[in-house]
Amino acid sequence: MRGPLVTPFHAGEIARRGTARLRAGLPFIPMHFGQPSAGAPAAAIAAAHRVLDRDPLGYEELVELRERIAAHYADTHGVQIELERILLTAGASAALVAAYAALFRPGDRVAVMRPGYPAYRNTLCAMRLEPVEVACGADMGFRPTPAMIAALQPVPQGIVIASPANPTGAMLDGAQLGALLATCRDRGIRVISDEIYHGISFGKRAVSALELDPGAIVINSYSKLYRMPGWRLGWMVAPLELAEQLHIYLINMFLTPATLAQHAALAAMDEPGDLAHWVRIYERNRARLIEGLAAMGITRIVPPDGAFYLYADVSHLTGDSMQFCLRAVDEIGVGLAPGIDFDPEAGRHFVRFSFAVTPDEIERALELLAGWL
Ligand SMILES: Cc1ncc(COP(=O)(O)O)c(C=O)c1O
């Protein structure tokens, strides 16, 4: 067998040990993966029950859901999107695979930020594309700049950007995003904008690339704001001339996304009060976590603008973030993600805390960490 093209998610080992603890009756606080501990909105679950009782659940792409997504862009971002430009996918993950497959050819170079979501890089490698990692560290507030993109030589064929970003929660404002998109346009770099954390931001609204550049390819998902990671549903928006091609790829690779999830998602989108309630909880968790970690001497943090992550520099505690996270799960049952997942180099000095848990879990984790450190 030939060697693997991709590296594992190291947080997967933390998950495995956490699950083993739970099976052994030991406590475990899951702050390692980016998944809301609260499930889908009640209205989404009720809708799924109703559909399950009456619908044969064949392969289907609900027009009503695409209409609802179009209405969301009109209401939230002030942009009109034709239905033909909206494609339903099995999560942002399937959207990413289809976008890479349709836009690039083997050997093409695609820029990704470091630190960044590991699957951007790994999926590029799996598809014989070349990731070009752009260092975008704490000194830059974890925000890419037009100058960084202008300096890339040779010019990459594409770039993946995310605002808010994983693992840092850093967000670009309209002017910053606009300048970045303009540089990409000038250099002929195709932009994939991962907007999966939209709707989860603290104080500022996240600007969609679609407000600034109709040529951008946007991917999004029901996994984060809508709290439906296990339902495996997301969407993408592409320029008309690409959307048909992307649809052909999606149908060939995945057929349609889960029909039951589409019905549930339609109901979830009409629950703004419920969604906002959880965003307020994340906001309180964020403040409490920043305060509690500071009391333990963990102060080198760029406060996240959005998403539900805090990416902390723990270089005064460890030079091996994986070892640190293994010990945290084994010794006190707190699940954290090692920075090496997001940045194989500087990530040795960072850990990511997900605060998409309950306020009680945040308090307990802080207590355990304080005693342990
Ligand atoms: C930045 C980012 N993009 C994409 C994904 C994939 O999400 P999904 O396939 O569940 O929609 C994740 C998951 O954590 C993520 O953090």
Side-chain angles (χ1 to χ4, degrees):
M1 186 181 148
R2 293 201 259 170
L5 291 169
V6 300
T7 50
F9 274 21
H10 294 91
E13 176 57 19
I14 308 298
R16 197 187 64 71
R17 293 187 188 206
T19 307
R21 281 180 70 90
L22 292 173
R23 288 169 68 94
L26 295 168
F28 175 59
I29 303 176
M31 297 170 76
H32 57 300
F33 276 163
Q35 65 174 355
S37 58
I45 295 170
H49 278 295
R50 284 194 304 276
V51 172
L52 204 48
D53 283 339
R54 66 166 159 75
D55 195 303
L57 294 177
Y59 297 124
E60 207 175 340
E61 291 168 282
L62 284 192
V63 179
E64 300 89 314
L65 185 56
R66 292 195 291 133
E67 287 170 346
R68 185 65 190 79
I69 292 168
H72 160 77
Y73 280 105
D75 297 345
T76 310
H77 299 287
V79 287
Q80 302 300 322
I81 307 287
E82 300 90 330
L83 286 195
E84 298 71 33
R85 295 179 55 198
I86 300 172
L87 306 156
L88 301 176
T89 65
S93 304
L96 198 63
V97 170
Y100 285 172
L103 299 177
F104 307 121
R105 293 286 167 267
D108 278 0
R109 303 168 76 248
V110 180
V112 293
M113 300 309 128
R114 197 182 68 215
Y117 178 53
Y120 297 151
R121 176 184 74 227
N122 286 339
T123 308
L124 286 169
C125 293
M127 296 176 75
R128 275 68 171 175
L129 300 166
E130 189 187 328
V132 177
E133 292 192 291
V134 182
C136 187
D139 50 330
M140 336 251 336
F142 300 118
R143 291 182 187 86
T145 63
M148 284 158 54
I149 309 307
L152 295 175
Q153 287 300 350
V155 185
Q157 278 72 26
I159 185 170
V160 185
I161 57 171
S163 165
N166 178 5
T168 60
M171 226 160 85
L172 299 173
D173 64 25
Q176 291 165 331
L177 182 61
L180 201 70
L181 293 172
T183 305
C184 292
R185 219 174 18 248
D186 290 349
R187 302 197 80 199
I189 303 172
R190 179 62 85 174
V191 176
I192 300 173
S193 176
D194 182 353
E195 303 188 351
I196 188 168
Y197 293 103
H198 272 213
I200 307 173
S201 56
F202 314 114
K204 281 178 268 170
R205 179 185 73 88
V207 177
S208 171
L210 294 170
E211 293 172 44
L212 303 161
D213 184 355
I217 287 147
V218 161
I219 65 180
N220 208 321
S221 170
Y222 291 93
S223 295
K224 310 295 177 179
L225 172 65
Y226 301 95
R227 312 192 305 272
M228 299 172 66
W231 297 71
R232 307 309 304 132
L233 188 65
W235 73 86
M236 61 200 304
V237 181
L240 209 47
E241 68 275 12
L242 273 177
E244 195 185 346
Q245 189 62 22
L246 280 162
H247 193 228
I248 294 170
Y249 275 88
L250 283 166
I251 291 280
N252 275 284
M253 290 169 155
F254 308 105
L255 290 172
T256 58
T259 305
L260 187 63
Q262 296 179 52
H263 287 280
L266 192 53
M269 290 187 87
D270 285 331
E271 292 298 312
D274 173 296
L275 303 175
H277 168 73
W278 275 94
V279 175
R280 281 194 298 274
I281 292 178
Y282 303 150
E283 188 162 13
R284 285 203 298 274
N285 286 351
R286 167 188 179 275
R288 193 55 201 106
L289 198 56
I290 291 174
E291 176 188 66
L293 291 176
M296 291 171 222
I298 300 177
T299 53
R300 274 177 299 203
I301 289 167
V302 178
D305 306 312
F308 34 56
Y309 304 118
L310 205 141
Y311 194 56
D313 180 339
V314 289
S315 52
H316 60 298
L317 299 170
T318 186
D320 183 345
S321 56
M322 184 61 186
Q323 206 53 35
F324 185 88
C325 292
L326 289 173
R327 287 188 59 189
V329 64
D330 289 345
E331 294 173 20
I332 53 169
V334 175
L336 303 173
I340 52 166
D341 266 342
F342 314 101
D343 180 344
E345 292 169 28
R348 289 182 293 118
H349 301 294
F350 285 82
V351 291
R352 187 195 71 180
F353 297 78
S354 164
F355 50 83
V357 292
T358 64
D360 285 349
E361 286 175 312
I362 292 282
E363 291 308 326
R364 185 73 191 124
L366 285 172
E367 242 171 62
L368 289 165
L369 284 164
W372 184 61
L373 289 174

